[in-house]
Amino acid sequence: MTILCVRFQLPPTREAALPGLLGLLEDFTPVVQALPPDGALADLRGAERYFGRDAVELASVIRVRALAHHGVDCVIGAGPGPMLARVALRDARPGMTCAVPEEPDAVAEFLAGKPVAALPGVGAATARTLCEYGLDTLGLVAAAPLSTLQRLVGAKAGRELREKAGGIDRDRVVPNAVSRSLATERPFTRDELDPDRHRRALLSAAEELGARLRALDKVCRTLTLTARYADRSATTRSRTLKEPTAHSAALTQAAYGMYEALGLQRARVRALALRAEGLDPAEQASYQLTFDPLDEKARRIEEVADRVRAKFGPRAVMPGSLAA
């Protein structure tokens, strides 16, 4: 095992601690990929040779240091590749590391009984389609004819799905910087089923992100939505915006689009998080002019509302649905 997938058990109010926790991983390897809001992938191939320990042993050291230096526990999955490490993370518990064996036969056996939704990149809609045809486990998907999968989910997606279900992991750990992003999370006081409450939480989060971006004179190119469920699983979706923006209405529209694409039916949602990524200075961003007077009016109102909130507090001006 050379790849670790780490999820830090951060309270919603402590997401700002993630950069420090990533620094802890970087003490072992420079190849660290942030998985906001609370996770990361780490490639330990060089660290295993340097420290003379395997990835599971190094995971124990990382867990102890996270507790000692930051007071944060973590769950860790380990595997030969990033995809397998992320699948292993689902079975991990605090204080232990769930490891996927390296032998191909053992990998196939490990994956065979897992539900199709356990595979990274398989959303609710794809899982529902596969289950309708009796392909509810990864073992059945791996054994299904390629032509059948391609008819169900598309040519490229079907080929990738069959490879991953069979344990072929072509993913790589891509180092990135979490500091070039802003995030906010809306936890619910109880596991929430109501789509209207989900949408209000997204509206609130998008309004906050927009205000923070404008205060910093920044725009974002990508918006990422993370939905956390009652069973401690999570779904993450990202969308590249048509143009870099800090306009709250555009961020809200993108957040609603990603939420609708999740196809949640009666999902018990524990929290929703939005992250603005790919931040650039606002003065360097291009803005497509429009002949729609309503758009220009909305931007002028937004500018005035920012000044009012700066003087009288963040709740001085807000959308009517949030004020209720």
Side-chain angles (χ1 to χ4, degrees):
M1 281 87 52
T2 58
I3 308 297
L4 295 185
C5 184
V6 185
R7 176 172 294 158
F8 300 103
Q9 296 189 306
L10 288 171
T13 56
R14 290 201 58 197
E15 189 183 340
L18 183 58
L21 291 165
L22 294 180
L24 184 152
L25 294 176
E26 289 169 352
D27 290 341
F28 294 86
T29 172
V31 189
V32 176
Q33 178 180 344
L35 300 175
D38 60 2
L41 289 167
D43 188 334
L44 297 182
R45 280 177 291 184
E48 287 179 319
R49 292 192 296 270
Y50 182 82
F51 292 102
R53 298 177 181 271
D54 63 25
V56 175
E57 292 172 324
L58 292 174
S60 299
V61 179
I62 290 170
R63 182 179 296 107
V64 171
R65 289 193 179 184
L67 281 167
H69 294 196
H70 301 274
V72 174
D73 200 356
C74 56
V75 291
I76 302 177
M83 182 270 292
L84 293 169
R86 295 175 74 170
V87 173
L89 182 68
R90 291 174 58 96
D91 294 341
R93 295 293 180 267
M96 62 164 286
T97 299
C98 180
V100 180
E102 295 189 16
E103 296 76 16
D105 291 342
V107 170
E109 183 180 352
F110 175 84
L111 293 176
K114 295 283 188 295
V116 291
L119 204 62
V122 175
T126 300
R128 187 165 55 250
T129 299
L130 294 171
C131 290
E132 287 175 354
Y133 287 85
L135 302 174
D136 56 350
T137 67
L138 295 179
L140 293 174
V141 171
L146 177 60
S147 58
T148 300
L149 296 176
Q150 290 179 325
R151 282 198 299 271
L152 293 177
V153 300
K156 181 180 178 181
R159 183 172 59 254
E160 292 178 351
L161 178 63
R162 192 168 188 269
E163 286 184 352
K164 290 181 177 180
I168 300 175
D169 190 350
R170 302 186 188 278
D171 293 345
R172 296 291 181 269
V173 179
V174 181
N176 59 11
V178 72
S179 59
R180 287 175 54 83
S181 65
L182 290 176
T184 185
E185 187 165 1
R186 292 295 182 270
F188 297 105
T189 55
R190 59 182 183 183
D191 298 333
E192 188 57 66
L193 295 166
D194 187 355
D196 290 336
R197 291 183 181 273
H198 297 165
R199 291 174 68 88
R200 282 200 293 273
L202 291 174
L203 173 60
S204 172
E207 287 283 330
E208 179 188 328
L209 277 185
R212 290 168 62 187
L213 286 167
R214 294 190 297 274
L216 296 171
D217 290 326
K218 298 283 188 179
V219 293
C220 72
R221 289 181 275 110
T222 304
L223 192 66
T224 297
L225 167 66
T226 300
R228 302 188 179 284
Y229 308 112
D231 62 355
R232 297 194 299 178
S233 64
T235 304
T236 300
R237 292 291 183 271
S238 293
R239 178 166 295 184
T240 300
L241 305 175
K242 293 181 179 179
E243 61 184 18
T245 186
H247 186 29
S248 293
L251 297 176
T252 302
Q253 183 179 6
Y256 283 170
M258 288 186 289
Y259 171 79
E260 297 297 336
L262 291 179
L264 303 181
Q265 298 297 319
R266 296 282 293 173
R268 295 186 297 158
V269 178
R270 184 157 293 177
L272 292 168
L274 284 181
R275 177 175 291 276
E277 300 175 301
L279 306 189
D280 292 314
E283 64 269 16
Q284 296 180 8
S286 59
Y287 166 51
Q288 178 63 50
L289 298 177
T290 175
F291 293 106
D292 184 2
L294 295 179
D295 179 73
E296 192 62 32
K297 181 179 179 180
R299 293 177 184 270
R300 289 200 300 269
I301 292 173
E302 188 174 71
E303 183 179 348
V304 173
D306 285 341
R307 293 202 295 268
V308 173
R309 283 191 286 260
K311 186 174 183 178
F312 297 104
R315 296 184 61 83
V317 180
M318 65 178 64
S321 61
L322 298 181

